[in-house]
mmCIF file of all heavy atoms in Angstrom:
data_model
loop_
_atom_site.group_PDB
_atom_site.id
_atom_site.type_symbol
_atom_site.label_atom_id
_atom_site.label_comp_id
_atom_site.label_asym_id
_atom_site.label_seq_id
_atom_site.Cartn_x
_atom_site.Cartn_y
_atom_site.Cartn_z
ATOM 1 N N TYR M 28 39.036 118.952 92.191
ATOM 2 C CA TYR M 28 40.437 119.218 91.860
ATOM 3 C C TYR M 28 40.968 120.358 92.713
ATOM 4 O O TYR M 28 40.237 121.271 93.074
ATOM 5 C CB TYR M 28 40.580 119.539 90.377
ATOM 6 C CG TYR M 28 40.376 118.323 89.521
ATOM 7 C CD1 TYR M 28 39.127 117.994 89.016
ATOM 8 C CD2 TYR M 28 41.433 117.466 89.258
ATOM 9 C CE1 TYR M 28 38.931 116.857 88.252
ATOM 10 C CE2 TYR M 28 41.253 116.320 88.493
ATOM 11 C CZ TYR M 28 39.997 116.031 88.005
ATOM 12 O OH TYR M 28 39.819 114.894 87.253
ATOM 13 N N LEU M 29 42.281 120.255 93.007
ATOM 14 C CA LEU M 29 42.904 121.206 93.910
ATOM 15 C C LEU M 29 44.379 121.340 93.564
ATOM 16 O O LEU M 29 45.063 120.339 93.331
ATOM 17 C CB LEU M 29 42.759 120.675 95.353
ATOM 18 C CG LEU M 29 43.465 121.397 96.467
ATOM 19 C CD1 LEU M 29 42.795 122.752 96.705
ATOM 20 C CD2 LEU M 29 43.377 120.573 97.747
ATOM 21 N N GLY M 30 44.893 122.552 93.494
ATOM 22 C CA GLY M 30 46.318 122.766 93.317
ATOM 23 C C GLY M 30 46.757 122.886 91.875
ATOM 24 O O GLY M 30 45.955 122.906 90.953
ATOM 25 N N GLN M 31 48.073 122.929 91.698
ATOM 26 C CA GLN M 31 48.663 123.208 90.390
ATOM 27 C C GLN M 31 49.003 121.957 89.594
ATOM 28 O O GLN M 31 49.237 122.028 88.406
ATOM 29 C CB GLN M 31 49.936 124.030 90.575
ATOM 30 C CG GLN M 31 49.681 125.364 91.222
ATOM 31 C CD GLN M 31 50.962 126.130 91.479
ATOM 32 O OE1 GLN M 31 52.054 125.673 91.191
ATOM 33 N NE2 GLN M 31 50.823 127.313 92.027
ATOM 34 N N ASN M 32 49.061 120.790 90.238
ATOM 35 C CA ASN M 32 49.470 119.563 89.555
ATOM 36 C C ASN M 32 48.298 118.618 89.307
ATOM 37 O O ASN M 32 48.420 117.412 89.484
ATOM 38 C CB ASN M 32 50.566 118.850 90.363
ATOM 39 C CG ASN M 32 51.847 119.645 90.416
ATOM 40 O OD1 ASN M 32 52.254 120.217 89.424
ATOM 41 N ND2 ASN M 32 52.454 119.716 91.570
ATOM 42 N N HIS M 33 47.169 119.166 88.890
ATOM 43 C CA HIS M 33 45.983 118.362 88.606
ATOM 44 C C HIS M 33 45.620 117.486 89.797
ATOM 45 O O HIS M 33 45.236 116.327 89.639
ATOM 46 C CB HIS M 33 46.171 117.515 87.343
ATOM 47 C CG HIS M 33 46.592 118.319 86.163
ATOM 48 N ND1 HIS M 33 45.725 119.129 85.480
ATOM 49 C CD2 HIS M 33 47.805 118.469 85.565
ATOM 50 C CE1 HIS M 33 46.366 119.728 84.502
ATOM 51 N NE2 HIS M 33 47.630 119.342 84.534
ATOM 52 N N GLY M 34 45.784 118.028 91.008
ATOM 53 C CA GLY M 34 45.489 117.282 92.221
ATOM 54 C C GLY M 34 44.003 117.037 92.382
ATOM 55 O O GLY M 34 43.189 117.925 92.142
ATOM 56 N N ARG M 35 43.650 115.836 92.773
ATOM 57 C CA ARG M 35 42.252 115.486 93.006
ATOM 58 C C ARG M 35 42.106 115.018 94.448
ATOM 59 O O ARG M 35 42.872 114.167 94.906
ATOM 60 C CB ARG M 35 41.803 114.391 92.054
ATOM 61 C CG ARG M 35 40.325 114.167 92.092
ATOM 62 C CD ARG M 35 39.893 113.323 90.941
ATOM 63 N NE ARG M 35 38.462 113.449 90.800
ATOM 64 C CZ ARG M 35 37.795 113.093 89.751
ATOM 65 N NH1 ARG M 35 38.412 112.579 88.715
ATOM 66 N NH2 ARG M 35 36.503 113.236 89.709
ATOM 67 N N VAL M 36 41.152 115.574 95.171
ATOM 68 C CA VAL M 36 40.929 115.216 96.567
ATOM 69 C C VAL M 36 40.415 113.781 96.617
ATOM 70 O O VAL M 36 39.402 113.460 96.002
ATOM 71 C CB VAL M 36 39.926 116.174 97.242
ATOM 72 C CG1 VAL M 36 39.646 115.754 98.673
ATOM 73 C CG2 VAL M 36 40.429 117.608 97.178
ATOM 74 N N ILE M 37 41.138 112.919 97.339
ATOM 75 C CA ILE M 37 40.707 111.531 97.436
ATOM 76 C C ILE M 37 40.249 111.166 98.837
ATOM 77 O O ILE M 37 39.584 110.150 99.022
ATOM 78 C CB ILE M 37 41.789 110.541 96.945
ATOM 79 C CG1 ILE M 37 43.085 110.700 97.704
ATOM 80 C CG2 ILE M 37 42.021 110.693 95.460
ATOM 81 C CD1 ILE M 37 44.119 109.636 97.372
ATOM 82 N N GLU M 38 40.576 112.008 99.827
ATOM 83 C CA GLU M 38 40.118 111.733 101.194
ATOM 84 C C GLU M 38 40.207 112.999 102.041
ATOM 85 O O GLU M 38 41.144 113.780 101.899
ATOM 86 C CB GLU M 38 40.987 110.650 101.826
ATOM 87 C CG GLU M 38 40.567 110.246 103.215
ATOM 88 C CD GLU M 38 41.465 109.187 103.813
ATOM 89 O OE1 GLU M 38 42.170 108.493 103.052
ATOM 90 O OE2 GLU M 38 41.469 109.066 105.034
ATOM 91 N N ILE M 39 39.220 113.193 102.898
ATOM 92 C CA ILE M 39 39.239 114.283 103.862
ATOM 93 C C ILE M 39 38.971 113.668 105.228
ATOM 94 O O ILE M 39 37.985 112.957 105.411
ATOM 95 C CB ILE M 39 38.159 115.347 103.558
ATOM 96 C CG1 ILE M 39 38.382 115.953 102.171
ATOM 97 C CG2 ILE M 39 38.162 116.428 104.640
ATOM 98 C CD1 ILE M 39 37.272 116.888 101.716
ATOM 99 N N SER M 40 39.884 113.914 106.169
ATOM 100 C CA SER M 40 39.700 113.414 107.529
ATOM 101 C C SER M 40 39.812 114.589 108.505
ATOM 102 O O SER M 40 40.005 115.729 108.090
ATOM 103 C CB SER M 40 40.751 112.341 107.858
ATOM 104 O OG SER M 40 42.020 112.935 108.042
ATOM 105 N N GLN M 41 39.739 114.296 109.782
ATOM 106 C CA GLN M 41 39.876 115.330 110.807
ATOM 107 C C GLN M 41 41.272 115.941 110.825
ATOM 108 O O GLN M 41 41.457 117.066 111.273
ATOM 109 C CB GLN M 41 39.580 114.739 112.188
ATOM 110 C CG GLN M 41 38.147 114.319 112.385
ATOM 111 C CD GLN M 41 37.221 115.517 112.536
ATOM 112 O OE1 GLN M 41 37.627 116.589 112.984
ATOM 113 N NE2 GLN M 41 35.970 115.343 112.166
ATOM 114 N N THR M 42 42.275 115.200 110.326
ATOM 115 C CA THR M 42 43.660 115.653 110.436
ATOM 116 C C THR M 42 44.315 116.062 109.126
ATOM 117 O O THR M 42 45.329 116.754 109.142
ATOM 118 C CB THR M 42 44.530 114.551 111.079
ATOM 119 O OG1 THR M 42 44.447 113.372 110.273
ATOM 120 C CG2 THR M 42 44.068 114.241 112.495
ATOM 121 N N GLU M 43 43.761 115.611 107.974
ATOM 122 C CA GLU M 43 44.421 115.920 106.705
ATOM 123 C C GLU M 43 43.479 115.800 105.514
ATOM 124 O O GLU M 43 42.419 115.197 105.605
ATOM 125 C CB GLU M 43 45.627 115.020 106.489
ATOM 126 C CG GLU M 43 45.275 113.565 106.292
ATOM 127 C CD GLU M 43 46.487 112.658 106.175
ATOM 128 O OE1 GLU M 43 47.632 113.134 106.300
ATOM 129 O OE2 GLU M 43 46.284 111.458 105.966
ATOM 130 N N ILE M 44 43.932 116.399 104.425
ATOM 131 C CA ILE M 44 43.282 116.250 103.125
ATOM 132 C C ILE M 44 44.288 115.517 102.248
ATOM 133 O O ILE M 44 45.427 115.971 102.089
ATOM 134 C CB ILE M 44 42.940 117.609 102.493
ATOM 135 C CG1 ILE M 44 41.992 118.394 103.409
ATOM 136 C CG2 ILE M 44 42.327 117.429 101.104
ATOM 137 C CD1 ILE M 44 41.818 119.828 102.989
ATOM 138 N N VAL M 45 43.896 114.372 101.693
ATOM 139 C CA VAL M 45 44.789 113.600 100.837
ATOM 140 C C VAL M 45 44.426 113.886 99.386
ATOM 141 O O VAL M 45 43.253 113.814 98.997
ATOM 142 C CB VAL M 45 44.684 112.089 101.131
ATOM 143 C CG1 VAL M 45 45.623 111.306 100.228
ATOM 144 C CG2 VAL M 45 45.000 111.803 102.600
ATOM 145 N N VAL M 46 45.439 114.232 98.602
ATOM 146 C CA VAL M 46 45.271 114.615 97.202
ATOM 147 C C VAL M 46 46.150 113.702 96.352
ATOM 148 O O VAL M 46 47.263 113.369 96.746
ATOM 149 C CB VAL M 46 45.703 116.087 96.998
ATOM 150 C CG1 VAL M 46 45.582 116.505 95.550
ATOM 151 C CG2 VAL M 46 44.890 117.008 97.884
ATOM 152 N N ARG M 47 45.663 113.283 95.195
ATOM 153 C CA ARG M 47 46.483 112.545 94.234
ATOM 154 C C ARG M 47 46.839 113.509 93.115
ATOM 155 O O ARG M 47 45.972 114.016 92.414
ATOM 156 C CB ARG M 47 45.736 111.346 93.672
ATOM 157 C CG ARG M 47 46.595 110.541 92.694
ATOM 158 C CD ARG M 47 45.919 109.304 92.166
ATOM 159 N NE ARG M 47 45.652 108.377 93.255
ATOM 160 C CZ ARG M 47 44.447 107.871 93.545
ATOM 161 N NH1 ARG M 47 43.407 108.200 92.828
ATOM 162 N NH2 ARG M 47 44.285 107.036 94.536
ATOM 163 N N GLU M 48 48.153 113.776 92.969
ATOM 164 C CA GLU M 48 48.644 114.694 91.956
ATOM 165 C C GLU M 48 49.191 113.928 90.764
ATOM 166 O O GLU M 48 49.700 112.818 90.912
ATOM 167 C CB GLU M 48 49.774 115.560 92.511
ATOM 168 C CG GLU M 48 49.359 116.442 93.654
ATOM 169 C CD GLU M 48 50.515 117.259 94.191
ATOM 170 O OE1 GLU M 48 51.609 116.687 94.405
ATOM 171 O OE2 GLU M 48 50.330 118.451 94.379
ATOM 172 N N ILE M 49 49.108 114.536 89.588
ATOM 173 C CA ILE M 49 49.695 113.977 88.372
ATOM 174 C C ILE M 49 50.907 114.838 88.048
ATOM 175 O O ILE M 49 50.781 116.035 87.799
ATOM 176 C CB ILE M 49 48.696 113.994 87.194
ATOM 177 C CG1 ILE M 49 47.395 113.295 87.571
ATOM 178 C CG2 ILE M 49 49.337 113.393 85.951
ATOM 179 C CD1 ILE M 49 47.540 111.827 87.919
ATOM 180 N N VAL M 50 52.098 114.214 88.080
ATOM 181 C CA VAL M 50 53.339 114.959 87.864
ATOM 182 C C VAL M 50 54.202 114.268 86.819
ATOM 183 O O VAL M 50 54.090 113.059 86.598
ATOM 184 C CB VAL M 50 54.129 115.123 89.182
ATOM 185 C CG1 VAL M 50 53.374 115.979 90.174
ATOM 186 C CG2 VAL M 50 54.461 113.788 89.792
ATOM 187 N N SER M 51 55.084 115.040 86.216
ATOM 188 C CA SER M 51 56.011 114.494 85.221
ATOM 189 C C SER M 51 57.003 113.565 85.909
ATOM 190 O O SER M 51 57.481 113.844 87.008
ATOM 191 C CB SER M 51 56.757 115.639 84.547
ATOM 192 O OG SER M 51 57.793 115.138 83.740
ATOM 193 N N ASP M 52 57.348 112.465 85.227
ATOM 194 C CA ASP M 52 58.342 111.541 85.785
ATOM 195 C C ASP M 52 59.759 111.919 85.356
ATOM 196 O O ASP M 52 60.723 111.243 85.686
ATOM 197 C CB ASP M 52 58.029 110.094 85.414
ATOM 198 C CG ASP M 52 58.145 109.807 83.931
ATOM 199 O OD1 ASP M 52 58.527 110.703 83.149
ATOM 200 O OD2 ASP M 52 57.830 108.667 83.539
ATOM 201 N N GLY M 53 59.887 112.990 84.575
ATOM 202 C CA GLY M 53 61.194 113.471 84.160
ATOM 203 C C GLY M 53 61.741 112.826 82.899
ATOM 204 O O GLY M 53 62.774 113.243 82.389
ATOM 205 N N ILE M 54 61.060 111.794 82.391
ATOM 206 C CA ILE M 54 61.529 111.125 81.171
ATOM 207 C C ILE M 54 60.422 111.042 80.120
ATOM 208 O O ILE M 54 60.362 110.109 79.341
ATOM 209 C CB ILE M 54 62.095 109.723 81.488
ATOM 210 C CG1 ILE M 54 61.079 108.863 82.238
ATOM 211 C CG2 ILE M 54 63.386 109.816 82.273
ATOM 212 C CD1 ILE M 54 61.499 107.416 82.435
ATOM 213 N N GLY M 55 59.517 112.018 80.175
ATOM 214 C CA GLY M 55 58.474 112.105 79.164
ATOM 215 C C GLY M 55 57.149 111.461 79.534
ATOM 216 O O GLY M 55 56.213 111.486 78.756
ATOM 217 N N GLY M 56 57.039 110.904 80.706
ATOM 218 C CA GLY M 56 55.789 110.283 81.136
ATOM 219 C C GLY M 56 55.194 111.003 82.331
ATOM 220 O O GLY M 56 55.670 112.061 82.746
ATOM 221 N N TRP M 57 54.154 110.429 82.861
ATOM 222 C CA TRP M 57 53.443 111.013 83.997
ATOM 223 C C TRP M 57 53.219 109.943 85.055
ATOM 224 O O TRP M 57 53.113 108.768 84.744
ATOM 225 C CB TRP M 57 52.102 111.570 83.547
ATOM 226 C CG TRP M 57 52.252 112.642 82.513
ATOM 227 C CD1 TRP M 57 52.223 112.483 81.164
ATOM 228 C CD2 TRP M 57 52.497 114.018 82.747
ATOM 229 N NE1 TRP M 57 52.442 113.682 80.531
ATOM 230 C CE2 TRP M 57 52.598 114.648 81.485
ATOM 231 C CE3 TRP M 57 52.634 114.802 83.880
ATOM 232 C CZ2 TRP M 57 52.834 116.010 81.344
ATOM 233 C CZ3 TRP M 57 52.855 116.161 83.741
ATOM 234 C CH2 TRP M 57 52.958 116.754 82.483
#
């Protein structure tokens, strides 16, 4: 896990780190 939005590292390459974050959808869901 990484960051403030429950980010989970899903891929690391030579050029980037890809993270999947869980964020509010603004209407009570995620």
Side-chain angles (χ1 to χ4, degrees):
Y28 289 92
L29 173 70
Q31 298 176 359
N32 294 319
H33 307 285
R35 190 167 196 164
V36 177
I37 57 173
E38 182 181 340
I39 300 173
S40 73
Q41 293 287 333
T42 59
E43 67 184 3
I44 300 169
V45 180
V46 178
R47 182 177 297 125
E48 298 179 314
I49 306 298
V50 295
S51 171
D52 66 3
I54 55 173
W57 300 93

